[in-house]
Amino acid sequence: MQLQPDLSNNKIRVIITGASGMVGEGVLHECLEHSDIEKILVINRKPCGISHPKLTEILHSNFFDLSPIEPQLKNYNACFFCLGVSSFGMKETEYNRLTYDLTLHVANLLSRLNPDMVFCYVSGSGTDSTEQGRSMWAKIKGKTENRLLQLPFKRAYMFRPGYIHPTKGLKNTHKYYFALTWLFPVIRLLLPSQALTMKELGTAMIHTVNTGYEQSILESKDIIKLAKVFKKN
């Protein structure tokens, strides 16, 4: 299937969650820089600390009750869902609540308010689409992906990045990533299908809206491929 730009809807109005985390901040950075992005709404529990003419920020603590801000979530054609928690030290019931329940609650509302929306969900390499494996986090992520793909969005894409090379200068990069920064050329050479840059991740998300992709689940190699398509900057 050949990738073709969707010229019928050239400007992107995007909702971003998780912008106070490493991935969300990186995706927001690419959206602020990209000419196709017309408007950005960030929903955060705490301020992202960024001011820009494209950007509107809503501070909201309870993602299980979005009714107070529901009117402000209309008229967007993309959502880059970067909100997530680590499963480390977490019981399955709580991880399920903060991963599956929370994500589906937000996504169901957005699909109702914005049926023309393209929804991108940041999952992770190793996610279990069968929901039958031994890894708790992988099963729950797989269940979340499967249900998201059933919602009535215009299109939905599940992003499964491996190692993400951070964008220089951003403040929410995990400390251990700094230790690996100098190794990235080696990691990219040895694991070309598993290592990508934050710029590639953010750019690929933007391209899902105006270009699309031939499959709904994107591993690292797909993300890198899509980031190279229809480049504008």
Side-chain angles (χ1 to χ4, degrees):
M1 178 178 177
Q2 186 177 6
L3 305 180
Q4 294 291 340
D6 179 5
L7 298 178
S8 63
N9 193 8
N10 223 15
K11 292 298 180 181
I12 300 171
R13 302 174 306 281
V14 61
I15 295 172
I16 300 177
T17 67
S20 58
M22 173 182 157
V23 173
E25 181 188 32
V27 170
L28 172 59
H29 176 78
E30 297 309 320
C31 288
L32 291 172
E33 296 289 317
H34 203 287
S35 60
D36 278 1
I37 303 293
E38 180 179 57
K39 183 178 180 181
I40 304 166
L41 174 65
V42 166
I43 310 172
N44 272 343
R45 293 187 178 95
K46 58 183 181 180
C48 67
I50 298 172
S51 178
H52 193 280
K54 292 182 182 180
L55 178 63
T56 300
E57 183 176 34
I58 296 177
L59 297 181
H60 187 75
S61 60
N62 186 3
F63 279 68
F64 287 101
D65 180 14
L66 296 173
S67 56
I69 63 171
E70 183 173 325
Q72 300 173 70
L73 306 181
K74 297 178 181 179
N75 299 315
Y76 288 87
N77 57 8
C79 175
F80 300 157
F81 197 95
C82 307
L83 183 66
V85 295
S86 169
S87 64
F88 183 77
M90 191 174 290
K91 293 182 178 180
E92 183 170 350
T93 52
E94 183 65 4
Y95 185 72
N96 186 80
R97 188 179 80 87
L98 295 177
T99 300
Y100 176 80
D101 292 344
L102 187 150
T103 304
L104 267 294
H105 179 77
V106 176
N108 272 291
L109 175 62
L110 292 180
S111 67
R112 175 171 61 81
L113 296 177
N114 303 289
D116 290 331
M117 175 173 277
V118 175
F119 190 93
C120 295
Y121 175 65
V122 178
S123 184
S125 179
T127 293
D128 179 13
S129 295
T130 72
E131 306 178 35
Q132 301 298 316
R134 293 184 178 183
S135 172
M136 179 267 286
W137 77 265
K139 288 190 296 183
I140 292 175
K141 284 284 193 178
K143 179 174 69 170
T144 305
E145 286 187 352
N146 291 338
R147 302 308 178 273
L148 287 172
L149 290 171
Q150 295 171 2
L151 295 181
F153 288 112
K154 180 181 180 180
R155 295 190 300 271
Y157 297 96
M158 309 296 110
F159 279 67
R160 296 181 175 182
Y163 171 77
I164 306 173
H165 185 64
T167 300
K168 186 177 181 180
L170 300 189
K171 63 181 182 180
N172 291 315
T173 301
H174 301 308
K175 292 182 180 178
Y176 59 82
Y177 277 86
F178 287 120
L180 295 172
T181 297
W182 67 277
L183 274 175
F184 179 69
V186 178
I187 298 172
R188 183 82 162 207
L189 179 65
L190 297 178
L191 300 169
S193 64
Q194 288 296 317
L196 68 157
T197 66
M198 186 65 73
K199 182 174 181 62
E200 287 170 330
L201 178 61
T203 303
M205 284 191 174
I206 294 167
H207 288 175
T208 63
V209 185
N210 283 345
T211 303
Y213 197 64
E214 59 260 34
Q215 57 200 53
S216 298
I217 296 177
L218 285 74
E219 303 287 351
S220 292
K221 60 182 175 60
D222 301 296
I223 297 170
I224 294 168
K225 177 182 176 182
L226 183 53
K228 295 177 181 177
V229 172
F230 200 51
K231 281 191 175 181
K232 285 196 170 187
N233 56 347

